[in-house]
Amino acid sequence: MPEKLEEWEIKKYWEIFSGLKPVDNKLSGDRVSVVFKNSQLNTDQLALIWDLSDIDQDGELDFEEFCIAMRLIFDLVNGTVAELPSTLPNWLVPGSKAHLVQANSAVSQGSNYSPNNQVDDEDEDAKLSSDFEWYISPTDKSSYESIYTASSDQYGRIKFNDLQELYETLVKVPQTDISSAWNLVNPKQAETIDKDQCLVFLHILNQRSNGKRVPRGVPASLRATFSKETPTYDLKSSQAQVSKPSSAPGHESKKHSFADSYLAKIGASQNSSAEIGTDFSATKDTDWEEVRLTRQLQDLEELISKVEKDRSQRLDPDPAVNASSMTKYELEQLLKYKEDKVASLKLSNGAPSGSLSSIKADVDLIESQVQTLQEYLQSKKDELKQLQSTLKT
């Protein structure tokens, strides 16, 4: 089988998935075990298939994860592969879960973070610059938003520990400065912060990782935004009094990109242009019954179209020839009827009847009509021959 999930394949898996009656669009191990055991694969293989498929490790399979499991099973049963991979190949990773796979891989390989990586606070502080830049460049803003989107909950809020993996990549930023930055953007000491606060928090960490000292306060425009119960995110208004710094040529090129390794973990690296895995976004929130019926309708329409095409190929494609052929047929039938009528009347000449003169008049009239029809038929035959000759040339 090709190294991708075909549309027909996904629809087949959906029929199996929906037939197992998922709860909240997920299947438990008990429900999936019926299909797994029918494959007659051994227990170790089925256990590995489950581990590879349950990407979010919640103990259940959603539809995307179920597709992965089914493809792995079919590949083994059909002999397409001799053994299961130790990790999912990129083409089989759903695009919506790529960041989870990358994060799990990074965690399994271990982290370079260690308390020993933190430099002495006093020596480091002496080297820091007080020239803090509040301006957020479009590139930095994009990175911050990627981190925020990947880490926030359904209400758009973020807890301090939600970014723990990010902190571990910032080896030049001590924990005390991370906490100070959090307190700066969270003056009410709430458990969570919102998007406005998160972007500024990440910007402070970015500046600190670039050798800038964490400031003791924030601009009044930003502080006013943080004090709102329901902040309105407007980066331009928040930075109304924050001007873009003038920097020497080449300054930007010397500044390292913020949280590159963490962005790679969550699948939001600014330098990554290659897409990974299968994109299931087209099937999200889809009415699968509608999809199935639509497909059946398309199949019927294609069948009807094919029948009509075959029928048209059996007939002469030229409408003029078709019309002449039909006229010829009708005239031949009429002529046959008239000839039968004449023969019938001639046979009845010797039988008793009303008026012989009347019968003779009828015969003469019919013979005249027959002659006229024969002439008309001949003219149509000539026209037909002429049309056919024209078409051949």
Side-chain angles (χ1 to χ4, degrees), residues 113-390:
Y113 174 76
S114 169
N116 296 328
N117 291 334
Q118 298 184 7
V119 298
D120 183 78
D121 290 346
E122 294 182 0
D123 293 342
E124 179 68 16
D125 188 68
K127 301 176 183 178
L128 297 177
S129 168
S130 298
D131 186 20
F132 191 92
E133 299 175 1
W134 285 105
Y135 171 76
I136 300 178
S137 69
T139 301
D140 286 341
K141 176 190 170 188
S142 177
S143 297
Y144 303 158
E145 288 183 332
S146 296
I147 296 173
Y148 166 79
T149 301
S151 306
S152 60
D153 61 19
Q154 58 181 329
Y155 303 108
R157 315 292 291 185
I158 288 184
K159 296 180 180 179
F160 180 81
N161 289 334
D162 290 340
L163 296 172
Q164 188 60 43
E165 289 188 10
L166 169 65
Y167 308 150
E168 293 174 357
T169 66
L170 304 177
V171 294
K172 294 183 179 180
V173 184
Q175 185 67 30
T176 54
D177 282 356
I178 295 176
S179 298
S180 296
W182 178 269
N183 292 333
L184 277 177
V185 303
N186 187 20
K188 292 188 176 183
Q189 300 299 308
E191 183 181 4
T192 61
I193 60 176
D194 58 29
K195 183 176 182 179
D196 246 341
Q197 295 165 299
C198 181
L199 297 191
V200 177
F201 173 60
L202 295 173
H203 184 63
I204 295 175
L205 297 184
N206 186 12
Q207 290 287 299
R208 176 60 182 81
S209 66
N210 279 288
K212 305 294 179 65
R213 185 177 287 105
V214 175
R216 295 184 177 181
V218 296
S221 57
L222 294 178
R223 188 167 61 253
T225 303
F226 301 158
S227 299
K228 294 179 181 178
E229 292 296 333
T230 308
T232 300
Y233 176 67
D234 186 345
L235 195 59
K236 293 183 179 180
S237 64
S238 296
Q239 301 183 77
Q241 300 179 17
V242 180
S243 58
K244 180 177 181 180
S246 57
S247 56
H251 174 74
E252 289 297 327
S253 61
K254 295 179 182 179
K255 178 181 175 181
H256 78 275
S257 299
F258 177 62
D260 273 348
S261 59
Y262 181 71
L263 288 169
K265 280 186 181 181
I266 64 176
S269 175
Q270 300 297 313
N271 298 323
S272 176
S273 60
E275 296 183 356
I276 179 173
T278 301
D279 182 9
F280 286 85
S281 60
T283 64
K284 186 177 181 180
D285 299 327
T286 300
D287 185 340
W288 288 98
E289 180 64 15
E290 180 181 347
V291 171
R292 184 178 65 81
L293 294 175
T294 301
R295 181 58 187 173
Q296 289 179 353
L297 179 59
Q298 291 176 348
D299 291 341
L300 288 174
E301 290 176 346
E302 291 175 359
L303 180 60
I304 292 172
S305 177
K306 181 180 179 181
V307 171
E308 291 180 345
K309 183 178 180 181
D310 292 342
R311 178 177 175 276
S312 63
Q313 289 177 347
R314 288 195 299 269
L315 297 175
D316 196 315
D318 188 82
V321 175
N322 284 337
S324 298
S325 299
M326 184 59 68
T327 302
K328 175 186 176 183
Y329 175 76
E330 292 174 351
L331 290 174
E332 287 176 341
Q333 294 300 311
L334 180 58
L335 177 60
K336 183 176 183 300
Y337 168 76
K338 293 296 185 179
E339 289 175 340
D340 291 343
K341 190 71 173 176
V342 170
S344 176
L345 289 174
K346 288 181 177 179
L347 289 175
S348 63
N349 280 342
S353 61
S355 173
L356 292 176
S357 59
S358 175
I359 294 175
K360 186 176 184 302
D362 289 341
V363 171
D364 292 340
L365 177 60
I366 292 174
E367 287 180 342
S368 175
Q369 291 176 346
V370 169
Q371 183 178 357
T372 301
L373 287 172
Q374 287 176 333
E375 292 174 354
Y376 184 74
L377 176 60
Q378 185 61 43
S379 66
K380 288 300 179 180
K381 287 182 177 180
D382 294 339
E383 290 181 10
L384 178 59
K385 289 181 180 179
Q386 185 177 0
L387 285 172
Q388 290 175 337
S389 175
T390 303

Side-chain angles (χ1 to χ4, degrees), residues 53-73:
S53 304
D54 187 16
I55 295 176
D56 53 15
Q57 299 178 358
D58 62 350
E60 296 179 309
L61 298 185
D62 60 22
F63 179 55
E64 293 178 340
E65 294 170 331
F66 182 75
C67 286
I68 296 172
M70 294 304 296
R71 179 57 186 268
L72 292 173
I73 289 174

Side-chain angles (χ1 to χ4, degrees), residues 17-88:
F17 180 82
S18 58
L20 294 175
K21 302 186 183 305
V23 178
D24 294 330
N25 294 320
K26 290 188 175 184
L27 292 174
S28 64
D30 292 339
R31 294 180 183 271
V32 174
S33 64
V34 177
V35 177
F36 275 33
K37 291 177 180 178
N38 285 342
S39 68
Q40 299 184 355
L41 298 176
N42 63 53
T43 304
D44 291 339
Q45 289 175 316
L46 294 177
L48 180 54
I49 289 173
W50 176 274
D51 291 339
L52 290 172
S53 304
D54 187 16
I55 295 176
D56 53 15
Q57 299 178 358
D58 62 350
E60 296 179 309
L61 298 185
D62 60 22
F63 179 55
E64 293 178 340
E65 294 170 331
F66 182 75
C67 286
I68 296 172
M70 294 304 296
R71 179 57 186 268
L72 292 173
I73 289 174
F74 275 111
D75 280 353
L76 277 177
V77 172
N78 294 331
T80 305
V81 297
E83 59 183 12
L84 291 168
S86 57
T87 59
L88 282 180

